Amino acid sequence: MKKPWGGRFKEATDDIMVRFSASIGYDQRLYAYDIQGSIAHCKMLAKCKVIKSTEAKKIVSGLQKILKEFESGTFVCDEKLEDIHMNIERRLIDLIGPVGGKLHTGRSRNDQVCLDFRLFLRAETEAIVEGITRLSKAFLAQARKNVDTIVPGYTHLQRAQPVRLAHHLLAYVEMLLRDRDRFLDAYPRINVMPLGSAALAGTNFPLDREYTAKLLGFPEISHNSMDAVGDRDFAIEFCSASAILMAHLSRFCEEIILWCSSEFDWVELSDAFTTGSSIMPQKKNPDAAELTRGKSGRVFGNLMALLTLLKSLPMAYNRDLQEDKEPVFDTVDTVKSVLDVMTGMLKTARFKKPAKADLEAKGFLTATDMADYLVLQGVPFREAHEITGKAVAYCLEQNKPLGELGMEELKTLWPRFREDVYGYLQLESSVDRKDVYGGPSKRRVQARINQIDKKLKTSRSALFKTKGRRP
Ligand code: ARG
């Protein structure tokens, strides 16, 4: 088979080299974007009178036919034609004759592949932003149901201070909102039209790049032909936003896995999002969470792969860049499936209220409140800390919680204790005294739920509003 670039070659490509250099196995995924880009390029060529409008019509209808072939599964890809671009171009020429060969005027695969990749990442960023919004809504719904669920908050995985479970869940929503912002921030840098850069040096033809951009819905065109074909920083940003998202979700999954254990017993996951054991009949395993935690590794790895790919590349395009696709495709697939499964798992989860007796019996959750009580009586905080520490040591000896210390016992620790200290040692009142903005009091948690609810209702068009052109 004659290669589209075969003119200067006398010998056939070795089969080993054919297999080694082919990307069609995975870049065929870009077919719809490749055709969309080619149609726009072709219309622009006609508008600029580089090709005749009758020729453009033939090319466009040929491309539309090829799109249908892909959609119906009848398009046959050929590894010898290396990639999606040459497979489509060869089919076009088969379908409409030599005039199909005019499509590639003023264009190179170097700017073409970059365009396809940008169109792809633009669409996938939109899908992921929607996925994060859906997952955040599932978190918010669980937070609403669990405003009155008091749980121990932990530091060092040791019981620290009581909080509302809603507050704990909302911490993840804050992370998700920032994750969503990171994708939205990166979006305008994806949303740039590179066609017209050709191989690296632009083109001799008087192309109307703004027109192509308009046809494809790009608010901006690239400003330097070498940069446009040679960089993939937009893909790195996408993978970086994905990696941070996965780090957050992996933390949440770790907690879900702990919370499902008999030791914690805070949550019951639905049968629909758990799996069984092939040997132990009693088991119901949180595999959705475990797999998500596990899959974070490949998403981090994909980011590393792209950074390493870019590092040390001389200007402008190098074939190394063909290796950009698989890590990005894998990131997209992983992140989208993780967002779906996390949303399903969370929507169908049932959180339990930890028994009050257990919360009071273990961990001295209100010890800091006792110290703060002493501070309010005028004791310097360091001394208050010391007195409360002694109270904890005494309780450990006596095997009782702080709230069960009698007034006599308290007074041996500090003579001016009064009955009102007991108000400070109760869980609910402890939480509600943390009424600082950002704290876990009922008032603050409810107010934040309402703010987030509004944020999550922001329309798609407002989220993706293009900020206009950079100078
Ligand atoms: N398949 C290539 C890629 O993904 C397309 C560009 C190839 N350009 C070239 N001159 N070999 O990067």
Side-chain angles (χ1 to χ4, degrees), residues 142-159:
Q142 287 290 5
R144 277 206 173 93
K145 281 195 225 162
N146 287 288
V147 171
D148 291 322
T149 309
I150 306 286
V151 293
Y154 292 79
T155 63
H156 315 270
L157 206 55
Q158 306 288 315
R159 285 190 173 187

Side-chain angles (χ1 to χ4, degrees), residues 115-129:
L115 173 77
D116 294 4
F117 211 32
R118 286 174 178 276
L119 286 167
F120 168 80
L121 274 178
R122 193 168 77 168
E124 297 299 352
T125 298
E126 290 174 20
I128 287 171
V129 162

Side-chain angles (χ1 to χ4, degrees), residues 125-383:
T125 298
E126 290 174 20
I128 287 171
V129 162
E130 275 172 32
I132 297 175
T133 304
R134 276 197 299 274
L135 176 57
S136 304
K137 285 180 179 168
F139 266 101
L140 196 67
Q142 287 290 5
R144 277 206 173 93
K145 281 195 225 162
N146 287 288
V147 171
D148 291 322
T149 309
I150 306 286
V151 293
Y154 292 79
T155 63
H156 315 270
L157 206 55
Q158 306 288 315
R159 285 190 173 187
Q161 293 185 288
V163 292
R164 296 178 182 282
L165 178 57
H167 193 58
H168 192 140
L169 295 174
L170 290 180
Y172 285 107
V173 181
E174 303 294 345
M175 297 177 211
L176 286 173
L177 287 172
R178 290 194 298 278
D179 291 330
R180 193 175 75 158
D181 279 347
R182 265 182 282 276
F183 282 101
L184 290 168
D185 287 345
Y187 187 81
R189 286 180 293 280
I190 294 172
N191 207 5
V192 177
M193 208 291 297
L195 280 191
S197 306
L200 81 162
T203 168
N204 294 330
F205 301 100
L207 304 189
D208 186 346
R209 301 188 60 214
E210 296 281 357
Y211 183 69
T212 317
K214 199 171 140 222
L215 291 178
L216 294 168
F218 285 101
E220 190 172 345
I221 61 174
S222 57
H223 303 289
N224 180 301
S225 58
M226 295 175 80
D227 171 46
V229 295
D231 206 359
R232 294 291 184 269
D233 56 358
F234 61 94
I236 295 179
E237 280 190 74
F238 175 87
C239 285
S240 165
S242 300
I244 299 172
L245 167 67
M246 288 300 294
H248 287 151
L249 293 179
S250 185
R251 291 186 72 176
F252 173 62
C253 287
E254 172 76 12
E255 296 211 294
I256 283 286
I257 294 159
L258 287 171
W259 296 350
C260 283
S261 67
S262 312
E263 284 68 21
F264 268 85
D265 197 26
W266 285 18
V267 67
E268 172 89 29
L269 297 182
S270 73
D271 287 359
F273 287 91
T274 44
T275 54
S277 156
S278 59
I279 175 170
M280 296 168 282
Q282 85 284 14
K283 294 275 276 184
K284 179 167 158 183
N285 296 326
D287 290 20
E290 291 169 57
L291 280 166
T292 297
R293 185 178 58 182
K295 281 173 191 288
S296 61
R298 63 201 288 162
V299 176
F300 301 168
N302 291 337
L303 170 63
M304 277 308 128
L306 278 196
L307 284 167
T308 314
L309 181 64
L310 251 284
K311 169 193 166 294
S312 312
L313 276 193
M315 283 286 202
Y317 178 84
N318 299 269
R319 191 65 180 272
D320 314 45
L321 290 174
Q322 180 166 294
E323 291 288 312
D324 62 357
K325 276 161 221 73
E326 285 170 296
V328 169
F329 291 165
D330 184 65
T331 298
V332 164
D333 294 340
T334 305
V335 166
K336 281 163 75 179
S337 66
V338 157
L339 287 170
D340 282 348
V341 84
M342 284 293 103
T343 304
M345 183 189 79
L346 197 57
K347 267 185 171 170
T348 53
R350 191 177 59 80
F351 287 90
K352 304 173 185 180
K353 275 196 199 320
K356 209 167 168 207
D358 170 71
L359 296 185
E360 280 165 356
K362 287 186 230 148
F364 303 101
L365 289 167
T366 53
T368 312
D369 298 272
M370 181 187 263
D372 286 351
Y373 168 85
L374 291 166
V375 168
L376 288 169
Q377 315 307 311
V379 181
F381 182 75
R382 270 297 143 237
E383 276 171 47

Side-chain angles (χ1 to χ4, degrees), residues 5 21 23 26-27 82-85 108-110 113 232 317-325:
W5 42 251
S21 65
S23 55
Y26 49 87
D27 68 14
E82 282 183 19
D83 54 28
I84 185 65
H85 324 296
S108 150
R109 280 184 293 156
N110 298 354
V113 71
R232 294 291 184 269
Y317 178 84
N318 299 269
R319 191 65 180 272
D320 314 45
L321 290 174
Q322 180 166 294
E323 291 288 312
D324 62 357
K325 276 161 221 73

